[in-house]
């Protein structure tokens, strides 16, 4: 019997852009370690060019995704939860390593993340009924307000929750029809890069979610200044960076969700979904 | 045989304008701390109407402190009591609406027909609408017991001075906030008359403060660390500056900015109705409307027929004395605005578009611009891209619905749009594709307090009016919170 331990096969982690898994165009990587400093993997150190490519992919996907029926989007989000459930052990191990959590605590995070996908999946065909309105105007008009996705949302994923936090910022943005470019937690990007593999096999059209790993500040700057990005979620930005990016976002009046202290395990409410919606009001005369 | 219109002027005697006004601060009219004043003129005659105080940074500070002090008691009032104050204000506005309509036409230059029939009824309606919300906020969908933000700093434009005041102040007060409002430099008077209505209504001191002044006053207000909320209506350029100013602070912001709306006419549209809608879309309020239908997109097959009808209709527009009840188009609000409109119209000609106006005699004093139509416009022309904010219509054509969508959305703005077609499924398809906050189909420029108003893209963020308008003045109810 061979008592020599089997040498494991390491994974080359890659970015997720437009439904494909490219290496960074810059050819750069950075060392990702566990909470004790032990080497885990080399993650791609995405560049500004990667960020711009991701925006192009997200824009390209927007028409189809926002035009899909809410029922269809809900089905796909639920499919993501199904795929995640099957990879529960993998994500538990990655989250435990990334955040220095016990296996039980990491598993709780992963379970909560799976449940969150399911929760958001159910919102797809309800949010319009919560956020819309039939307006009783003083005249013979049919007047209806409906929420619509704002477009391409750049998301700086939270730094303090590599998986549950990540899911909690992606799902509310896409369930309503937006497409996103996400920068993973800088120090713990591996669960995010593995999530890409789940998304790629979940019927989610390529480009709806694009995931970059690298320096949050380096990637945040071109995303905040990008003229084809419509909104910015600053969850993963510290105060100084957040102010700088919010100023850059003013150039084309991006919708900005400022960072704040968030308990990612708590009921998220509808705030994150509503932050990336516009209200369209249609008037039509009534008469015979 | 033609019948000429005899002059039908509304009397000025219903309004008493004082020679000078102070700032309305903590329930009293006071002079500016440094004694500075500026004049407000009637744009139709260039007559000086009054002299008003120029609020300094120190005055802004005093006003914010007064509003902060008043906030404690105002926000603690039962909603039903706040509602009663708002209902009182709404009634007083109705009682004094003739006086206010004349005042507004004098100071702004808009036709009395519009200030009387559009502005003032909507102003009162806004207070009535939000009065009713004050004691029903638990039912608004922003969680149980939603909280006010605090002191709101509000800056409004000159195109609808009193209406924009109502849009800002009514929801702010209903939700328990107190306000410091800066009216536009060229149209300060109706806000000062509103201060008197607050007095008549017995509104507690400091709940509403009105600071007259120019852009520097507005900048001091927006940048003041003591305010919790910024609400601005005006140009996209200033909106961007405000967004930069509040970056990194806790201030909640709503911005209602510019627009370059497409008014899209399909070949099956009822053309006579469409012509009325086009005229209303671009010539209402001299085109000083952020949601004006300033780009006419007409299907090529009916373009000639439509343009003939439009020109015929434009020849009947009466330009002149705003106080004349037969006037359709009044004065341009200021010399600066007239210069901007003139420059952009000239650029239209220089870039190769064909300019047309009906022959009309313009008064010799005051600021005037004839209703103007440009044909042969391309999407690259400045008159098709930039907001003119005047009675200037740019006409483009299209062949297919997809092309109409493409052209309509080809702008950084996204405030409003119009669709003219008799085919319901086409209308709904089109409305769905347009990136705009308000879509009027087979109508244009309709407003109502119950109907949310606001833009996509660079037309700003947030909504005013309706249940949606409350959100701008309430603290987040969810644990994470919305913006």
């Amino acid at each position: 019997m061979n008592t020599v331990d089997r040498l494991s096969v390491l994974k080359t982690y890659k970015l997720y852009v437009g439904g494909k898994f490219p290496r960074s165009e810059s050819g750069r990587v950075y060392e990702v370690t566990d909470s004790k400093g032990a080497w885990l993997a080399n993650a791609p150190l995405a560049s500004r060019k990667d960020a711009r490519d991701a925006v192009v992919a997200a824009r390209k996907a927007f028409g189809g995704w926002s035009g899909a029926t809410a029922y269809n989007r809900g089905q796909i989000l639920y499919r993501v939860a199904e795929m995640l459930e099957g990879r529960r052990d993998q994500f538990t191990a990655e989250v435990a390593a990334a955040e220095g959590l016990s296996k039980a605590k990491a598993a709780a995070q992963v379970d909560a993340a799976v449940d969150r996908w399911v929760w958001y999946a159910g919102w797809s065909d309800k949010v319009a009924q919560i956020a819309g309105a039939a307006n009783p105007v003083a005249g013979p008009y049919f007047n209806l307000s409906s929420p619509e996705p704002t477009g391409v949302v750049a998301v700086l994923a939270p730094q303090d929750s590599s998986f549950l936090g990540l899911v909690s910022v992606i799902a509310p943005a896409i369930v309503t029809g937006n497409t996103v470019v996400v920068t993973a937690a800088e120090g713990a990007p591996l669960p995010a890069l593995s999530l890409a593999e789940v998304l790629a096999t979940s019927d989610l059209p390529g480009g709806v979610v694009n995931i970059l790993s690298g320096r949050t500040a380096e990637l945040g700057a071109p995303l905040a200044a990008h003229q084809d990005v419509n909104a910015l979620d600053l969850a993963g930005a510290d105060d100084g960076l957040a102010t700088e990016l919010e100023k850059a976002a003013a150039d084309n009046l991006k919708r900005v969700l400022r960072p704040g202290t968030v308990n990612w395990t708590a009921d998220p409410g509808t705030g994150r979904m509503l932050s990336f919606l516009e209200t369209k009001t249609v008037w039509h005369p009534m008469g015979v | 045989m033609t019948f000429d219109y005899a002059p039908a002027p509304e009397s000025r005697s219903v309004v008493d304008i004082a020679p000078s006004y102070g700032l309305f601060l903590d329930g009293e009219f006071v002079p500016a701390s440094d004694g500075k004043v500026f004049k407000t003129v009637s744009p139709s005659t260039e007559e000086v109407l009054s002299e008003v105080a120029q609020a300094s940074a120190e005055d802004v500070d005093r006003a914010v402190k007064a509003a902060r002090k008043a906030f404690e008691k105002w926000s603690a009032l039962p909603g039903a009591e706040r509602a009663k104050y708002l209902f009182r204000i709404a009634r007083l506005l109705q009682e004094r609406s003739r006086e206010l309509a004349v005042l507004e036409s004098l100071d702004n230059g808009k036709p009395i027909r519009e200030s009387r029939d559009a502005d003032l009824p909507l102003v009162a309606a806004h207070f009535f609408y939000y009065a009713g919300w004050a004691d029903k906020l638990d039912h608004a969908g922003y969680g149980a017991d939603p909280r006010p933000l605090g002191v709101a700093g509000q800056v409004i434009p000159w195109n609808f001075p009193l209406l924009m005041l109502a849009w800002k102040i009514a929801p702010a007060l209903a939700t328990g906030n107190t306000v410091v409002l800066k009216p536009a430099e060229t149209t300060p008077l109706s806000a000062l008359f509103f201060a008197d209505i607050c007095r008549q209504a017995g509104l507690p001191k400091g709940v509403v403060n009105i600071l007259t002044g120019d852009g520097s006053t507005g900048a001091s207000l927006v940048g003041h660390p003591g305010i919790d909320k910024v609400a601005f209506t005006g140009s996209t350029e200033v909106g961007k500056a405000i967004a930069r100013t509040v970056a990194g602070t806790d201030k909640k912001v709503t911005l209602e900015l510019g627009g370059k709306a497409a008014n899209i006419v399909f070949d099956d549209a009822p053309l006579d109705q469409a012509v009325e809608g086009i005229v209303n879309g671009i010539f209402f309020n001299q085109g000083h409307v952020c949601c004006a239908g300033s780009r006419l997109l007409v299907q090529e097959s009916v373009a000639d027929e439509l343009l003939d009808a439009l020109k015929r209709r434009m020849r009947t527009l009466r330009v002149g004395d705003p106080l004349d009840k037969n006037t359709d188009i009044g004065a341009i609000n200021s010399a600066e605005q007239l210069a901007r409109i003139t420059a952009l119209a000239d650029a239209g000609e220089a870039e190769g578009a064909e300019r047309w106006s009906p022959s009309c005699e313009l008064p010799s004093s005051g600021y005037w611009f004839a209703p103007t139509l440009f044909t042969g416009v391309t999407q690259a022309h400045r008159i098709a891209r930039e907001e003119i904010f005047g009675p200037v219509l740019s006409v483009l054509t299209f062949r297919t619905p997809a092309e109409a969508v493409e052209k309509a959305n080809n702008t950084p703005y996204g405030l409003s749009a119009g669709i003219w077609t008799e085919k319901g499924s086409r209308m709904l398809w089109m409305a769905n594709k347009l990136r705009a906050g308000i879509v009027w189909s087979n109508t244009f420029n309709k407003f109502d307090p119950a109907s949310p108003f606001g833009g996509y893209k660079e037309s700003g963020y947030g909504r005013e009016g309706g249940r949606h308008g409350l959100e701008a003045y309430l603290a987040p109810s969810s644990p994470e919170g919305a913006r």
Side-chain angles (χ1 to χ4, degrees):
Chain A
M1 195 168 126
N2 186 0
T3 55
V4 178
D5 280 348
R6 177 182 168 270
L7 189 65
S8 61
V9 177
L10 295 178
K11 179 159 89 182
T12 303
Y13 285 89
K14 295 186 186 179
L15 306 176
Y16 183 51
V17 176
K20 296 195 164 62
F21 294 89
R23 292 183 167 88
S24 168
E25 65 81 35
S26 65
R28 303 180 302 175
V29 293
Y30 71 113
E31 192 165 299
V32 179
T33 59
D34 69 13
S35 59
K36 296 195 182 70
W39 185 86
L40 289 171
N42 292 325
L45 185 61
S47 66
R48 290 167 168 263
K49 175 71 165 73
D50 291 316
R52 289 197 296 269
D53 290 347
V55 173
V56 170
R59 173 60 61 197
K60 199 172 160 203
F62 179 70
W65 182 242
S66 60
T69 63
Y71 180 59
N72 184 223
R73 285 199 304 268
Q75 294 272 300
I76 292 174
L77 260 71
Y78 183 73
R79 179 77 177 156
V80 173
E82 288 179 348
M83 296 283 112
L84 276 181
E85 185 80 29
R87 298 227 216 171
R88 189 170 170 271
D89 292 347
Q90 177 200 338
F91 282 103
T92 300
E94 282 187 340
V95 170
E99 300 182 33
L101 297 175
S102 69
K103 197 177 170 221
K105 282 191 175 152
Q109 297 268 315
V110 174
D111 290 349
V114 176
D115 291 353
R116 189 139 298 167
W117 276 112
V118 174
W119 189 74
Y120 275 118
W123 266 115
S124 72
D125 48 8
K126 292 160 198 77
V127 69
Q129 290 177 319
I130 301 296
N135 309 306
V137 297
Y141 296 94
F142 170 80
N143 184 285
L144 200 70
S145 292
S146 329
E148 290 191 343
T150 200
V152 174
V153 182
V155 180
L156 307 189
Q159 308 292 345
D160 60 348
S161 178
S162 65
F163 194 60
L164 176 58
L166 173 82
V167 164
S168 302
V169 292
I170 294 176
I174 64 169
V175 68
T176 54
N178 295 293
T179 57
V180 299
V181 176
V182 187
T183 65
E186 185 169 327
L190 302 186
L193 298 177
S194 290
L195 176 68
E197 298 160 18
V198 169
L199 299 177
T201 51
S202 302
D203 305 329
L204 192 76
V208 173
V209 175
N210 303 277
I211 300 178
L212 306 173
S213 56
R215 307 279 174 242
T216 302
E218 184 187 350
L219 297 170
L223 290 171
H226 201 296
Q227 296 297 300
D228 204 28
V229 170
N230 303 96
L232 194 56
D233 183 343
L234 292 173
D238 61 37
D239 284 353
L241 179 63
T243 302
E244 187 190 312
L245 297 185
E246 191 177 346
K247 276 187 187 149
D251 252 7
N252 70 336
L253 293 162
K254 289 180 186 68
R255 283 66 178 128
V256 177
L257 184 60
R258 293 171 178 155
T261 314
V262 181
N263 173 6
W264 299 108
T265 59
D267 173 1
T270 55
R272 275 206 135 72
M273 282 188 293
L274 299 182
S275 293
F276 303 121
L277 287 173
E278 300 290 343
T279 296
K280 178 182 281 176
T281 300
V282 178
W283 292 67
H284 196 283
M286 279 193 300
V288 288
Chain B
M1 190 157 84
T2 56
F3 294 97
D4 280 339
Y5 285 90
E10 171 67 280
S11 167
R12 281 181 67 154
S13 65
V14 292
V15 57
D16 246 337
I17 301 175
S20 74
Y21 288 92
L23 309 167
F24 186 64
L25 211 157
D26 205 14
E28 283 171 46
F29 280 103
V30 296
S33 56
D34 53 13
K36 281 194 184 153
V37 295
F38 62 96
K39 293 175 169 56
T40 185
V41 303
S42 169
S44 60
T45 58
E46 299 174 60
E47 164 203 359
V48 174
L49 294 172
S50 187
E51 210 169 65
V52 299
Q54 160 76 38
S56 65
E58 194 188 325
D59 297 317
V60 169
D61 191 54
R62 283 159 70 205
V64 171
K65 287 201 171 103
R68 173 64 56 194
K69 193 158 153 252
F71 174 68
E72 237 170 85
K73 282 189 183 163
W74 179 250
S75 59
L77 272 187
E81 293 301 299
R82 284 203 309 272
K84 286 195 280 184
Y85 281 112
L86 289 170
F87 278 121
R88 279 187 180 189
I89 290 172
R91 273 285 189 250
L92 289 166
L93 284 163
Q94 286 182 322
E95 284 170 13
R96 298 178 63 175
S97 70
R98 185 168 171 204
E99 173 193 359
L100 291 167
V102 172
L103 177 73
E104 199 79 320
S105 283
L106 279 171
D107 201 19
N108 170 282
K110 64 172 69 199
I112 186 74
R113 198 167 56 77
E114 290 176 3
S115 54
R116 181 192 63 195
D117 299 347
D119 294 47
L120 262 298
L122 276 170
V123 169
H126 266 274
F127 278 94
F128 275 116
Y129 178 78
Y130 280 109
W133 267 123
D135 55 356
K136 300 169 191 68
L137 296 174
D138 284 351
H139 303 283
Y142 300 106
D145 196 23
R147 291 168 294 115
L149 298 170
V151 177
Q154 307 178 318
V155 179
I156 57 170
W158 45 259
N159 57 342
F160 293 94
L162 202 52
L163 183 59
M164 292 301 104
L165 173 147
W167 283 26
K168 295 281 182 291
I169 291 184
L173 298 193
T175 46
N177 299 274
T178 55
V179 308
V180 179
L181 177 132
K182 189 197 90 71
E185 191 181 358
T186 59
T187 55
L189 293 182
S190 53
L192 296 167
F193 274 58
F194 179 80
D196 189 53
I197 286 176
C198 293
R199 178 189 64 79
Q200 289 185 333
L203 194 71
K205 288 198 295 186
V207 171
V208 169
N209 303 275
I210 311 273
L211 298 184
T212 46
D214 58 15
S216 69
T217 309
S220 301
L221 179 56
V222 168
H224 195 288
I227 62 169
D228 305 284
K229 152 84 188 173
V230 175
F232 172 74
T233 295
S235 74
T236 290
E237 186 195 345
V238 176
K240 289 179 182 180
I242 290 173
R244 276 179 212 113
T245 303
V246 301
T249 69
D250 291 331
K251 289 173 191 165
K252 196 162 171 168
V253 194
T254 44
L255 302 171
E256 296 287 357
L257 310 175
K260 192 73 192 171
N263 206 354
I264 304 154
V265 182
F266 284 98
D267 56 8
D268 68 338
L271 288 192
D272 289 341
Q273 275 180 46
V275 164
E276 284 309 305
I278 294 160
V279 166
N280 179 39
I282 187 61
F283 301 123
F284 175 62
N285 207 43
Q286 295 72 248
H288 299 334
V289 186
C290 49
C291 52
S294 54
R295 285 184 300 152
L296 174 62
L297 299 185
V298 55
Q299 197 152 16
E300 209 174 81
S301 49
V302 291
D304 290 344
E305 189 186 347
L306 181 81
L307 284 172
D308 286 348
L310 181 58
K311 287 178 178 173
R312 202 158 52 233
R313 177 67 179 86
M314 282 172 68
R315 286 192 187 99
T316 67
L317 290 172
R318 295 171 55 80
V319 184
D321 180 7
L323 285 186
D324 191 314
K325 292 165 196 159
N326 292 321
T327 292
D328 296 308
I329 297 181
I332 300 303
N333 183 249
S334 65
E336 293 75 33
Q337 188 56 27
L338 180 60
R340 178 171 164 75
I341 297 168
T342 307
L344 276 162
D346 291 349
E349 267 184 299
E351 289 179 348
E354 192 181 325
R355 180 177 183 158
W356 183 88
S357 286
S359 61
C360 64
E361 205 175 310
L362 300 177
S364 51
S365 65
Y367 318 123
W368 304 92
F369 199 88
T372 298
L373 179 75
F374 276 102
T375 49
V377 179
T378 76
Q379 296 184 79
H381 287 161
R382 283 181 72 194
I383 51 169
R385 289 185 289 118
E386 295 180 32
E387 186 177 39
I388 299 177
F389 224 68
V392 180
L393 179 66
S394 299
V395 184
L396 298 95
T397 59
F398 67 90
R399 289 184 180 180
T400 64
E403 187 187 349
V405 168
E406 190 78 18
K407 284 184 169 164
N409 288 338
N410 184 18
T411 165
Y413 296 114
L415 187 51
S416 61
I419 306 169
W420 297 85
T421 172
E422 285 289 77
K423 194 174 173 190
S425 62
R426 178 187 283 160
M427 182 279 277
L428 292 171
W429 177 85
M430 195 77 196
N432 202 28
K433 296 277 178 204
L434 294 172
R435 303 287 291 164
I438 304 105
V439 177
W440 287 291
S441 345
N442 294 337
T443 184
F444 208 94
N445 269 346
K446 293 286 181 293
F447 306 93
D448 193 280
S451 181
F453 181 98
Y456 284 44
K457 302 195 282 186
E458 294 190 22
S459 290
Y461 30 77
R463 292 293 178 271
E464 292 183 288
R467 182 183 68 78
H468 293 74
L470 294 167
E471 197 264 340
Y473 291 96
L474 292 172
S477 60
S478 67
E480 304 185 31
R483 180 184 58 235

